[in-house]
Each structure stands twice: as structure tokens, then as C-alpha cells.
Amino acid sequence: MSTETWKFAPPYELPQWPFVAPPDLGAGEPIRYPVVIAGGGLAGLTLACDLALRGVRAVVLDEDDTVGVKGASSRGICYAQKSLEIFERFGIYERIREKGITWSVGRTFSGDDELYAFNLKDDSHSEQPPFINLQQFYLEWFLVDRIVELGGTDLRWKSRVLQVEEEAEAVRVDVETPAGRYTLEADWFIDATGANSRIRSDLGLEVHPSRSTDRWCITDVRFKVPVAAERWTWVDAPFNEGRSVWQHLMADGVWRLDYQMAEDCEPDTISRPEVAGARLRQQFGPGVEFEFVWIGPYQYRDHLLENFRVGRMLFIGDSAHVVSPFGARGGNNGIQDAANLGWKLALVLQGEASESLIDSYQAERHAAAVENLTVCRRTARFLAPRSPAEHRIRRAVCTLARRHEFARRLANTGRMAQANAYPPSAWAKQGSRSVQNVAFEGTNLMRCLGRDNRFLGLAVGADAAALASLDALAALFPIDFRGVEPTSPLAAHLGVERGTVVVVRPDAYVAATLAQATPDAVAAAMRDALGVDERERLAAVA
Amino acid sequence: MTTSRPQAMRTDPNIPDADGFYEALVAAHEGLSDEESNDLHARLVLLLANQVGDQKVLLACIAEARQDVAERPQR
């Protein structure tokens, strides 16, 4: 029996924001707002920040008065390039980079052997790295600070949504606060309250949840051993009774160690400090000094909402979809939901696009969620074989992977989050893919997309006359044009040649790639992308 | 020019020396426990799958092999 005493680090110090009584309290009639977001987590705050930059003042209702989850440590830890590019556009990337851990190398082990390594930098052309690890609450904190700095957004703490009700042209929202209840109205209501959304369940919307029997125990620790700032995963660690282990560094020198447990284990037992400490000793040896930051047993689950839009209500982040944690596809996709929706809501509210554009959020982000679910379920199945036969197949993969490249491709300890490509749709006939934040000609794509709510037409090799004829479109559509040298890294990344115009959306996805582009062709692509014909649009603006 | 269509699973004889292959296959199992034999088969399947390299053919082969198992639901 170990007589070791176990040290715990002091808890993270997180900011608190005060409840301020809103004008709605005591107002006779409900006040009407363009966008009301319930939930100040990653998805909700990203949307609020995106909207603020696009000139839309959102109301954010959060039942807490701080960031993160009370009594728990960080949920998400890995932020992917697309998310980091969004944060670069928001102006908080540098703060994230300074606080977080930049990494690109991952290693997968089986037993005592390394099966393979990857370096995500090899495929990257962006100004942002493939990944930064950071405790989720820091990211939320930085988002709140930025939203406050930008002004305009109404952040309402200690404000809990009791009920939502759809009316003809608005959503009625009942809110409970320390100073009483009130009702407000929203043109658009966004549920970003997470996996256990009561808003969603009260509306009777089914998400077909599936709970895994696979059990894990997170152990966040601080210690002084030389461990690489890389993502290390063991398929079958000898120091964890042949089960999986994850090892990842976060900010403040905190390591996230995630141990796969036996399916029939007792969560209370495996998370006791002496049990968790013994696991650590198995991995790192008897002499290593460490202190616990957090120990948390969990079972993962997944779910998917069928319709992310219900009338004037929209569901983003975990409220709409939950995946297993392998591959960092949870938080990153909540962030991307928000970035997909922000510019669309803004253009619709500003009368520049048809309301039908909001349906493209469902078309694109539901498809992305389906893809992420498939990817994550495959990883989960590799990591938790369900029968002796599955164990045998996995063992064969790991044995061959020690010698052969083809078998390494079969070993699946997580396919890291990427910006999902979107299928062809009415809004993007060729489908749509994300453009990385490539540096070119003294600027980069995020800087070009800037703060306005406008598309960017990249005219490859266009001369002054060609640019002038394209510029005429800027009065008709929310798009600006910019010439790009055919030899520039951006043209190479896009894989396009002289004469092509690439129409980039405000969320840095390609709306259309038009070879030998004429202004008419660009105008047609813009009409598609906005879901509007010109007469309709001009009438709306008038 | 003809466009190449994805090949369907072959069921016509395609192993040049069928008896020689069979002999080598059983010889590979000589002296092995059931456990070792089953592991060998699993490795062999993966190696052969990589030789085929055609997703449609691979899925057709999996379905064909499963066909001889008595009906029961697949999870």
C-alpha cells in the first residue's frame, strides 16, 4: 500500500463578470433584438464576436458569470488551424499563441514501439499552425474580453433561458435573472447551450444519442519531466494494462493524461487520487514529482440533431452535434458552426441576402457534422474493440504497422480536425472548401477579409482594365476585388491560373472558382452564394 | 480509348498455381496454436487487401465471405 501523499494544485483563477439589470426588466412590452444567443461557451461567444465584427449587436444570455464549467477542468484542449484563423480575424490569435502550446507532431505507439508519427505542418500553408493546445476556458475568456473591447454586444450574465416560443416573425424568450424574470423577442434565436440543451429537449427535438461503454479517466497534472510538446497516443500501453493512453501538453505547464479504463470499472474508484497517482507512477516511474490539477472520469457519447434550423431558431455547437473526443472535432466544429452562420445572419439582417441563405447553414454544417460523426465513430471503434475478433484485427494492424506504411494508415488514434469541405448546393454549385490563411503580397487572407461583411474576389493575374470591370460589381454585391499574381503562394494554394477569379466568402470558404471569369459569371456566382436575384436584392436594399 | 471501370470482384480462377498456393498457405500454419494461426490469418488478410487496393472489390469480398455465415444481425 502506497503511503504517498498527493498534492493538488490551487484551482485556476478565472474572471467573473457582474450581472447588470437589463432595460428589459420592468419594460412593458418585450424589447425586440436582431440576434439572441443562449449560451456563452465556445460556439456562442464565437458567434457573438463574429457578429460584432460584422456590425450586428447580439444579446448573449449565459446562466453563469464566468467561463468554463463549474467544478470541472477544461473540456476542449486542441484548437485547429481553421479555428485559429477565425481567431486571427477576430484579433485574438496572438493572445492564444502566447498562452497556448503550438504543436504539429503526433506519435502513435503500440506496446513499447512507435508505430508512426505525423507532422501536420507538412500540409500547411497558413500563417497559423496546425494546432494550439489551450484550456477551453482561456479561449472563452479571451473571446469575452474581445467582445467587450469591440463593444455593441450585450453580454448578460446570470441569465437563464426558461422557455422559448416561436411566433410568426420572431422568437419569444423568457429569461430568469437574479433581479427577476423578463421576456424578450428575437428575430433570430441561437441555442448554443451545449450537449444537454434544455431548450432543445423542451422543444421535443430528437438527437438520437448513443452512449459508449468505453470508459476513460482524465488526469491533468503539472510535473517536471522532460516530455515533448507533441501529441502522443498509445493504442495499448504496457503501463495501462494494455489499454489506450493520451498525453498532451496545455498552457501553464499542465499535462492532460487520458487513460482508457476497463469497461466495468467504478468511476469513483478510478478517479481517487491514490488510484490515479498509481497510474501515473506506472507511466512515469516512482521518482517523478507532480501535482494534480484535475481528475475526471467520463464516458463519451454522440448525438446529431436532424435540423439545425427550426424556423427562426438555430442550433450551433454541442447542442446540434456531439462526437467522441478523438481528433478534436467537438469544440472546433462549434467554432466553425458559428463562423459559418455569422456572416449569413449579418447579410440577411442587413438586407443583402435572401432569408433562404440561412438554410445553407443546415446544408453545410449538418453535412460536416455527419462527416465528423463518421470519422470519430471509426476512431472510437479502433480504440475500443468489441470482440476478440476485433482485438485480433487491431493486433494484426499494429504488428504490420511496425514494418509497413500501408498498415500505419489503418491504425486510427484520431483523424485530426480539418475544415470540412461542403457538398455542392444551390449556394455553391461546385461545393465549397476552406482557404488557408496564406500570406501573399505583404498581407494575408484574414487581413483581407477584415472586419466588413464582404466577399473577396481574388482575380488572378488581372490587369487594371479587368479589375476595373470587376469593381463595378462591388456596387451591386457585397464583394471587393483584389488582383493576385499568378506566381503568388495564394494562387498556388488555390491551384488556379491567370484569368481565374476565386470568389471567397466572408468565412474564407470558396463560393466559386471561375476560370476565364467575366463580370457576368462573377455576378451569377454572387447571386447563387447569397441565394438572391438582383431585383430581389435591390428591392430589399431600397 | 476505353474508360477503365472499377473492377468487380473476380470469382473466375485467377491464382496461377492453385495447388501450390494452397500448400504454402497450410504450411504457414504448421506448428502454430489456434491463437497464432488466427493472428496470421488476420495479418494475411490485411496484406492481401493492400495488394487488391480497390475499395469496391474489398467491400464485395467482405460481403461474399460473410455470406456463408448463418443469418444474424450485424452490429
Side-chain angles (χ1 to χ4, degrees), chain A residues 246-322:
Chain A
W246 255 236
Q247 175 182 305
H248 235 178
L249 181 60
M250 298 185 281
D252 304 334
V254 176
W255 286 88
R256 166 145 301 180
L257 305 165
D258 199 356
Y259 297 93
Q260 189 178 36
M261 298 281 97
E263 283 193 4
D264 58 357
C265 69
E266 263 305 315
D268 291 342
T269 309
I270 57 162
S271 55
R272 287 211 308 262
E274 62 272 26
V275 179
R279 272 197 301 272
L280 257 120
R281 289 270 169 256
Q282 283 288 313
Q283 182 173 0
F284 295 98
V288 175
E289 265 188 69
F290 65 87
E291 54 185 9
F292 290 117
V293 176
W294 187 64
I295 306 170
Y298 71 98
Q299 262 177 304
Y300 55 83
R301 65 177 193 193
D302 58 35
H303 77 216
L304 178 65
L305 186 61
E306 206 166 305
N307 291 301
F308 292 6
R309 176 183 177 184
V310 178
R312 295 184 156 270
M313 293 185 278
L314 293 150
F315 298 82
I316 66 174
D318 284 357
S319 167
H321 48 78
V322 171

Side-chain angles (χ1 to χ4, degrees), chain A residues 70-327:
Chain A
K70 277 251 164 75
S73 182
S74 176
R75 289 186 168 176
I77 64 165
C78 289
Y79 298 96
Q81 187 165 74
K82 180 68 183 179
S83 303
L84 299 172
E85 290 171 342
I86 292 165
F87 298 139
E88 163 74 354
R89 185 161 55 76
F90 288 4
I92 59 171
Y93 167 71
E94 276 307 316
R95 201 171 167 194
I96 292 166
R97 188 187 61 75
E98 277 169 24
K99 185 74 184 166
I101 302 293
T102 300
W103 69 273
S104 63
V105 172
R107 297 184 193 280
T108 293
F109 302 87
S110 175
D112 294 317
D113 301 321
E114 180 177 324
L115 293 187
Y116 67 92
F118 59 77
N119 188 346
L120 296 165
K121 238 185 209 159
D122 297 343
D123 300 320
S124 171
H125 308 278
S126 176
E127 294 266 273
Q128 274 63 52
F131 277 95
I132 288 181
N133 284 6
L134 184 65
Q135 289 86 330
Q136 180 172 335
F137 46 77
Y138 282 127
L139 193 45
E140 292 171 355
W141 180 352
F142 301 166
L143 280 165
V144 171
D145 282 354
R146 182 63 175 140
I147 289 166
V148 170
E149 184 180 69
L150 287 166
T153 304
D154 193 346
L155 287 168
R156 299 185 180 181
W157 306 102
K158 294 273 183 204
S159 300
R160 195 162 69 92
V161 172
L162 292 175
Q163 200 190 333
V164 296
E165 200 180 334
E166 174 137 40
E167 297 180 325
E169 290 290 312
V171 180
R172 272 175 77 94
V173 185
D174 294 335
V175 186
E176 186 178 53
T177 76
R181 296 181 178 186
Y182 64 87
T183 298
L184 53 70
E185 283 185 347
D187 289 347
W188 297 96
F189 174 78
I190 320 297
D191 177 22
T193 57
N196 302 316
S197 168
R198 248 199 28 188
I199 295 165
R200 186 197 63 222
S201 56
D202 284 353
L203 290 164
L205 300 172
E206 179 56 54
V207 288
H208 311 287
S210 144
R211 183 172 284 277
S212 159
T213 52
D214 196 12
R215 285 187 182 276
W216 291 72
C217 186
I218 287 175
T219 312
D220 288 347
V221 293
R222 227 182 249 152
F223 55 177
K224 297 226 178 288
V225 283
V227 202
E230 298 176 343
R231 174 187 191 264
W232 285 17
T233 60
W234 282 262
V235 176
D236 44 10
F239 50 83
N240 189 37
E241 297 172 1
R243 289 186 297 267
S244 296
V245 174
W246 255 236
Q247 175 182 305
H248 235 178
L249 181 60
M250 298 185 281
D252 304 334
V254 176
W255 286 88
R256 166 145 301 180
L257 305 165
D258 199 356
Y259 297 93
Q260 189 178 36
M261 298 281 97
E263 283 193 4
D264 58 357
C265 69
E266 263 305 315
D268 291 342
T269 309
I270 57 162
S271 55
R272 287 211 308 262
E274 62 272 26
V275 179
R279 272 197 301 272
L280 257 120
R281 289 270 169 256
Q282 283 288 313
Q283 182 173 0
F284 295 98
V288 175
E289 265 188 69
F290 65 87
E291 54 185 9
F292 290 117
V293 176
W294 187 64
I295 306 170
Y298 71 98
Q299 262 177 304
Y300 55 83
R301 65 177 193 193
D302 58 35
H303 77 216
L304 178 65
L305 186 61
E306 206 166 305
N307 291 301
F308 292 6
R309 176 183 177 184
V310 178
R312 295 184 156 270
M313 293 185 278
L314 293 150
F315 298 82
I316 66 174
D318 284 357
S319 167
H321 48 78
V322 171
V323 296
S324 68
F326 314 113

